[in-house]
Amino acid sequence: MTNLEEMGQKAQDAAFELGQLGSKEKNTALLTMADSLVLNTKEIVAANKEDYDKAKENGTKKAMLDRLLLTPDRINDMANGLRQVVELPDPIGKVDRGWQTTSGLDITQERVPLGVIGMIYEARPNVTVDAAGLCFKAGNAVILRGGKEAINSNIALSETLRHALQKVGINQDAVQLIDDVSHETAQKMMELNQYIDVLIPRGSGKFIKMVVDKAKVPIIETGAGNCHIYVDRDADLDKALKIIINAKVQRPSVCNAAEKVILHRDIANQFLPELYDALQANSVEVRGDTLSKAIVPDIVPATEEDWGTEYDDYIIAVKIVDSIDDAIKHINKYNTKHSESIITENYSSSRQFMKQIDAAVVYTNASTRFTDGQQFGFGAEIGISTQKLHARGPMGANELTTTKYLVQGDGQIRK
Amino acid sequence: MTNLEEMGQKAQDAAFELGQLGSKEKNTALLTMADSLVLNTKEIVAANKEDYDKAKENGTKKAMLDRLLLTPDRINDMANGLRQVVELPDPIGKVDRGWQTTSGLDITQERVPLGVIGMIYEARPNVTVDAAGLCFKAGNAVILRGGKEAINSNIALSETLRHALQKVGINQDAVQLIDDVSHETAQKMMELNQYIDVLIPRGSGKFIKMVVDKAKVPIIETGAGNCHIYVDRDADLDKALKIIINAKVQRPSVCNAAEKVILHRDIANQFLPELYDALQANSVEVRGDTLSKAIVPDIVPATEEDWGTEYDDYIIAVKIVDSIDDAIKHINKYNTKHSESIITENYSSSRQFMKQIDAAVVYTNASTRFTDGQQFGFGAEIGISTQKLHARGPMGANELTTTKYLVQGDGQIRK
């Protein structure tokens, strides 16, 4: 079995060196990584073909096969992703605050790298490059553990990045891949507290839940998104229709897509038939409670299970409520604390919704699809945190840092 | 067995209400809690006597008995602690940052309560009041689970706080105590992810390690402190002596006390005998490596185990190094990432130490004993985080919050 302690130690040593690098050195390395990916396209595509053919043989579904596939264009996209990370501001060394204490000590709180980040993820090989780039930008070493379906692709990608680091004279253990994809190494990685400062799982809800259950390393939970759009009594129904269709249909498989529509009863009679037709025209299956079925009989009855389910598919469920209070109560009960939106022209309704909804991102009159590092202006993202500790919402390079208090004295002792 | 799900649900409901309260209402409640503690002194002392007598019967050590004891003076101190929390700025509603995106959305990132905080702790009953006050200030509901030795005291204290809340018309489930002190309820609490947003353990290193191992709820680790003072070649040795004695002797049982002294070899011959005498005069046992024993033969030989040990006692261990690089390497290997100090008049040594040491707080020319919420100017503290996620160093009310992104649009959909 792979010696994870040894990898952990190497990662810590590399992290110490990375912590001392300036922005210019880190950016040069990132550009070299990008160029190396493009130069190695042939080798990467060949390695990926092995994974792809094997997955196809094993009867993997088309959507999954597509996620696994690497083409020269996609490799070029990954390289451009790294070049975008170069353009981001360096989060390290930023002083968040500073003050002088009554005892005359000068304290500053500065941004420093987290240290060693563990990434554990399923099939998509692009996570290997995206995560390595963003972790590196923030001065962290990364230990990667991707899915077994993508192992040859991941080896080719991580070796490319490591050679690029070596080329510019940086410790290549800043990026390490666990190439033994047994369950034992995954479990051991999740318990590697001595070396890994934080573990970030990427993948399906089921996968993330498994990691949360088994890990002893501190985790940042990402990605579960049972997002709601509440159409208030005072909504502009044209905006509501456009936003719901966008939030459901533009990319249904992602975590910021809308899964539920909550309608105020006063606008339901007028709005639901129109909404239903528009959703049907976009091949979306519409489920609903008994009130909505009374308005549109073709609606599929929703069960209790529906309210808590993230479909990630062309399905949406509709519920009709008596008041904004009921809407807020329902959403806070069933949501995954990801993204929620109210459609209203009423100031007080907007204010109440924004204050009372418990989620990473709360919107008035906009699509939930904007919950995204790029859309927020953070550049690349490593995931969307749905927990409350450390980082909430889209996580960019800044969220991959911690702080250190630097205290300057001249002989102070405590009285 | 106590129904923890029910308590969790009640806590979530209370947290929702607390999140809507303004500073004035919260401060009125805190003052009422403080007054109620003083008014209930007799009942609290009586309940504490039961715990105390039982502990004495069971042969509990004197230091532990003292931690358990509540006197009218100590109850008054707890009340004053709550009054100090009133004076702190309210962390809720503060806008950390705000900007407009290219799509015309206005985003602000605001401080909001974490929600429900779980506190799990050992014997000291004052944690019941301190934690409840600070959690409440930041708009959080708290579920408390203290040690069985203090159960009667904790019931009396928490009931006093709950009645005070009721008196001012606030949901008393903002403060709940688990009065069933079986291991089963502790284990169940540590797995109550659905209701508890963060769990903070307080107690011995062994206790905290147990919680870290068993919990599934996100944790903030606090309190382990194997703190070092490095005396550089260019140190002012008078400052060094005063700082080491203060950091070791002023209160040896706490986590920010110094446990190790690292000496540059160039000043060891001159400084160690003087330091040894001063430590001896303060009844401190001095252990050391072979080099230090060669200078002061009475030094007790230190073993490998010593370097990683937090004594919390009148013991210190001395190591002599060839260079500041060796000092930094040793400290980063053995420290608990709490507090480390360099004593030097050399600018570059200070800068190198401050940059390269991995710890929550790094000092130049000051005692490690300043790592403390009060000393930092945060007012009360709920603990000192030694992990890197979410909060690092002394944790005040601000560290008991998270953020929420509020996004205002006018019909934006994603292209």
Side-chain angles (χ1 to χ4, degrees):
Chain A
M1 198 166 101
T2 310
N3 188 335
L4 286 184
E5 272 87 10
E6 199 185 305
M7 286 181 80
Q9 187 58 57
K10 282 182 179 173
Q12 270 192 351
D13 293 345
F16 180 80
E17 294 175 39
L18 251 58
Q20 316 304 318
L21 294 181
S23 300
K24 206 176 154 185
E25 291 159 293
K26 288 190 284 187
N27 286 340
T28 303
L30 285 164
L31 290 173
T32 309
M33 290 187 212
D35 294 343
S36 298
L37 284 174
V38 177
L39 289 170
N40 275 12
T41 297
K42 221 171 131 179
E43 290 80 355
I44 296 167
V45 166
N48 180 253
K49 195 173 181 309
E50 284 185 56
D51 292 331
Y52 190 88
D53 289 349
K54 198 169 178 187
K56 208 169 170 182
E57 255 178 56
N58 293 342
T60 306
K61 273 200 246 172
K62 211 182 153 194
M64 281 288 285
L65 280 177
D66 183 59
R67 282 188 200 181
L68 183 56
L69 183 67
L70 292 179
T71 63
D73 269 0
R74 287 185 177 182
I75 292 167
N76 206 38
D77 285 350
M78 290 194 278
N80 283 332
L82 290 176
R83 291 183 189 115
Q84 280 177 28
V85 170
V86 171
E87 300 302 320
L88 299 178
D90 189 335
I92 300 306
K94 182 175 167 284
V95 175
D96 279 0
R97 51 180 177 163
W99 68 99
Q100 192 173 72
T101 69
T102 50
S103 47
L105 295 168
D106 292 306
I107 304 184
T108 53
Q109 185 180 23
E110 271 193 36
R111 289 271 144 203
V112 296
L114 279 167
V116 179
I117 295 177
M119 290 291 307
I120 184 162
Y121 49 104
E122 291 185 292
R124 287 168 57 180
N126 65 305
V127 175
T128 304
V129 175
D130 294 353
L134 217 49
C135 290
F136 185 84
K137 177 83 186 193
N140 300 292
V142 67
I143 298 179
L144 303 156
R145 205 278 189 188
K148 65 175 186 301
E149 302 79 6
I151 183 64
N152 292 297
S153 316
N154 287 336
I155 291 173
L157 291 168
S158 61
E159 283 305 316
T160 301
L161 300 180
R162 286 166 61 86
H163 286 143
L165 286 171
Q166 205 176 24
K167 207 188 266 180
V168 293
I170 291 175
N171 189 332
Q172 59 179 359
D173 293 327
V175 177
Q176 293 182 89
L177 176 80
I178 300 178
D179 58 8
D180 169 355
V181 288
S182 64
H183 284 295
E184 289 71 33
T185 54
Q187 183 58 44
K188 194 135 194 224
M189 180 191 190
M190 293 188 262
E191 296 171 3
L192 213 60
N193 289 51
Q194 207 193 329
Y195 299 105
I196 298 182
D197 293 291
V198 55
L199 185 65
I200 304 176
R202 288 284 300 270
S204 68
K206 205 179 131 195
F207 178 76
I208 290 170
K209 203 185 165 319
M210 180 278 290
V211 176
V212 171
D213 275 354
K214 295 193 172 172
K216 296 204 190 305
V217 177
I219 277 191
I220 299 179
E221 261 188 89
T222 64
N226 183 27
C227 304
H228 299 72
I229 294 180
Y230 165 60
V231 185
D232 189 39
R233 180 169 54 185
D234 298 319
D236 175 330
L237 297 179
D238 286 340
K239 282 183 193 162
L241 189 69
K242 277 183 199 136
I243 288 170
I244 294 169
I245 297 298
N246 180 259
K248 178 73 258 183
V249 174
Q250 201 230 5
R251 207 170 159 203
S253 65
V254 293
C255 61
N256 58 19
E259 305 289 5
K260 305 293 172 320
V261 172
I262 314 294
L263 299 180
H264 192 287
R265 65 183 308 161
D266 291 359
I267 50 90
N269 267 315
Q270 181 195 343
F271 184 59
L272 186 53
E274 191 186 351
L275 175 64
Y276 180 80
D277 289 346
L279 286 165
Q280 287 286 98
N282 281 283
S283 314
V284 178
E285 177 187 328
V286 185
R287 303 183 185 176
D289 61 358
T290 48
L291 287 177
S292 51
K293 205 172 155 55
I295 299 171
V296 179
D298 286 344
I299 281 179
V300 180
T303 64
E304 171 63 23
E305 205 196 327
D306 276 287
W307 306 123
T309 299
E310 182 181 357
Y311 304 118
D312 285 340
D313 204 347
Y314 286 87
I315 307 171
I316 204 162
V318 179
K319 186 181 174 70
I320 296 175
V321 293
D322 286 344
S323 65
I324 184 172
D325 294 299
D326 286 352
I328 290 169
K329 205 173 287 176
H330 179 88
I331 293 171
N332 280 340
K333 180 170 177 189
Y334 291 102
N335 78 347
T336 51
K337 316 292 175 212
H338 192 298
S339 300
E340 314 297 341
S341 184
I342 182 176
I343 314 301
T344 191
E345 296 301 312
N346 183 303
Y347 171 82
S348 295
S349 297
S350 162
R351 186 166 155 84
Q352 181 184 351
F353 191 87
M354 302 285 262
K355 276 207 180 284
Q356 296 189 348
I357 287 290
D358 185 16
V361 190
V362 190
Y363 293 88
T364 297
N365 292 340
S367 169
T368 53
R369 289 276 295 119
F370 286 102
T371 302
D372 172 275
Q374 291 279 0
Q375 296 295 323
F376 265 47
F378 298 170
E381 71 174 28
I382 203 146
I384 293 168
S385 165
T386 52
Q387 69 179 37
K388 293 182 183 176
L389 275 198
H390 188 70
R392 208 175 184 200
M395 295 173 60
N398 196 51
E399 283 68 34
L400 297 178
T401 64
T402 182
T403 62
K404 175 156 95 171
Y405 288 107
L406 303 177
V407 184
Q408 296 185 307
D410 31 38
Q412 276 84 350
I413 58 172
R414 187 151 162 199
K415 305 276 181 269
Chain B
M1 197 167 99
T2 310
N3 188 335
L4 286 185
E5 271 87 9
E6 199 184 306
M7 288 182 79
Q9 186 58 58
K10 282 181 179 175
Q12 270 192 352
D13 293 345
F16 180 79
E17 294 175 37
L18 251 60
Q20 315 305 318
L21 295 181
S23 301
K24 207 176 154 184
E25 293 158 293
K26 288 189 284 187
N27 286 339
T28 303
L30 285 164
L31 290 173
T32 309
M33 291 188 212
D35 294 342
S36 299
L37 285 174
V38 176
L39 290 169
N40 275 12
T41 295
K42 222 169 127 180
E43 290 80 356
I44 296 167
V45 166
N48 181 252
K49 195 173 180 308
E50 285 186 57
D51 291 333
Y52 190 87
D53 289 349
K54 199 169 178 186
K56 209 171 171 182
E57 256 177 56
N58 294 344
T60 305
K61 272 199 247 173
K62 212 182 150 191
M64 279 289 285
L65 279 177
D66 183 60
R67 281 188 200 181
L68 184 55
L69 184 67
L70 292 179
T71 62
D73 270 1
R74 286 184 178 185
I75 291 167
N76 208 36
D77 285 349
M78 288 195 278
N80 284 332
L82 290 177
R83 291 183 188 114
Q84 280 178 26
V85 171
V86 171
E87 301 301 321
L88 299 177
D90 189 336
I92 300 305
K94 181 173 169 284
V95 174
D96 279 0
R97 52 180 175 162
W99 69 99
Q100 192 174 71
T101 68
T102 48
S103 46
L105 296 168
D106 290 306
I107 304 184
T108 53
Q109 185 180 24
E110 272 193 37
R111 288 272 145 202
V112 296
L114 280 167
V116 179
I117 295 177
M119 289 291 306
I120 184 163
Y121 50 104
E122 290 183 295
R124 290 168 56 180
N126 66 307
V127 175
T128 305
V129 175
D130 294 354
L134 217 49
C135 289
F136 185 85
K137 178 81 185 195
N140 300 293
V142 67
I143 297 179
L144 302 156
R145 205 277 188 188
K148 64 175 185 302
E149 304 78 7
I151 183 64
N152 293 296
S153 316
N154 287 337
I155 290 173
L157 292 168
S158 61
E159 284 304 316
T160 301
L161 301 179
R162 285 166 61 86
H163 286 143
L165 286 172
Q166 207 176 21
K167 207 188 266 179
V168 294
I170 289 174
N171 189 332
Q172 59 179 358
D173 293 326
V175 177
Q176 293 183 87
L177 176 80
I178 300 177
D179 58 8
D180 169 355
V181 289
S182 64
H183 283 296
E184 289 72 32
T185 54
Q187 183 57 44
K188 196 138 191 219
M189 180 191 190
M190 293 188 262
E191 295 171 2
L192 214 60
N193 288 51
Q194 208 192 330
Y195 299 105
I196 298 182
D197 293 292
V198 55
L199 185 65
I200 305 177
R202 288 284 299 271
S204 67
K206 204 179 132 196
F207 177 77
I208 290 169
K209 205 187 162 319
M210 181 277 290
V211 177
V212 172
D213 275 355
K214 294 191 172 172
K216 296 203 189 305
V217 177
I219 278 190
I220 298 180
E221 262 187 270
T222 64
N226 182 28
C227 304
H228 299 71
I229 294 181
Y230 164 61
V231 185
D232 189 40
R233 179 169 53 183
D234 298 320
D236 174 331
L237 296 179
D238 288 339
K239 283 182 194 163
L241 189 68
K242 278 183 198 136
I243 288 170
I244 294 169
I245 297 297
N246 179 260
K248 178 73 260 180
V249 174
Q250 201 230 4
R251 206 169 161 206
S253 65
V254 292
C255 62
N256 58 19
E259 305 288 4
K260 305 292 171 320
V261 172
I262 313 294
L263 299 180
H264 193 286
R265 64 184 308 160
D266 291 358
I267 51 91
N269 268 315
Q270 180 195 342
F271 184 59
L272 185 52
E274 189 186 355
L275 175 65
Y276 180 82
D277 289 345
L279 287 165
Q280 287 285 100
N282 283 283
S283 314
V284 177
E285 176 186 328
V286 184
R287 303 182 185 176
D289 61 358
T290 47
L291 287 177
S292 50
K293 204 171 156 55
I295 298 170
V296 180
D298 287 343
I299 281 179
V300 179
T303 64
E304 171 63 23
E305 206 195 330
D306 275 286
W307 306 123
T309 300
E310 181 180 358
Y311 303 119
D312 284 340
D313 205 345
Y314 287 86
I315 306 170
I316 204 162
V318 178
K319 186 182 175 69
I320 296 175
V321 293
D322 287 343
S323 66
I324 184 172
D325 294 302
D326 286 353
I328 290 169
K329 206 173 286 177
H330 179 88
I331 294 171
N332 280 340
K333 181 171 177 187
Y334 291 100
N335 78 349
T336 52
K337 317 290 175 213
H338 193 297
S339 300
E340 314 297 340
S341 185
I342 181 175
I343 316 300
T344 191
E345 298 299 312
N346 183 305
Y347 170 83
S348 294
S349 297
S350 161
R351 185 167 156 86
Q352 184 185 350
F353 190 86
M354 302 284 262
K355 276 205 180 283
Q356 296 188 349
I357 288 289
D358 185 16
V361 191
V362 190
Y363 294 88
T364 297
N365 293 340
S367 169
T368 52
R369 289 276 294 119
F370 286 103
T371 303
D372 172 276
Q374 292 280 0
Q375 297 294 324
F376 265 46
F378 298 169
E381 71 173 30
I382 202 145
I384 293 168
S385 165
T386 52
Q387 69 179 35
K388 293 183 182 175
L389 275 200
H390 187 71
R392 208 174 183 200
M395 293 173 62
N398 197 50
E399 282 69 32
L400 298 178
T401 64
T402 182
T403 61
K404 174 156 96 173
Y405 288 107
L406 303 178
V407 184
Q408 298 186 306
D410 31 38
Q412 276 83 352
I413 58 171
R414 187 151 162 201
K415 305 277 184 266

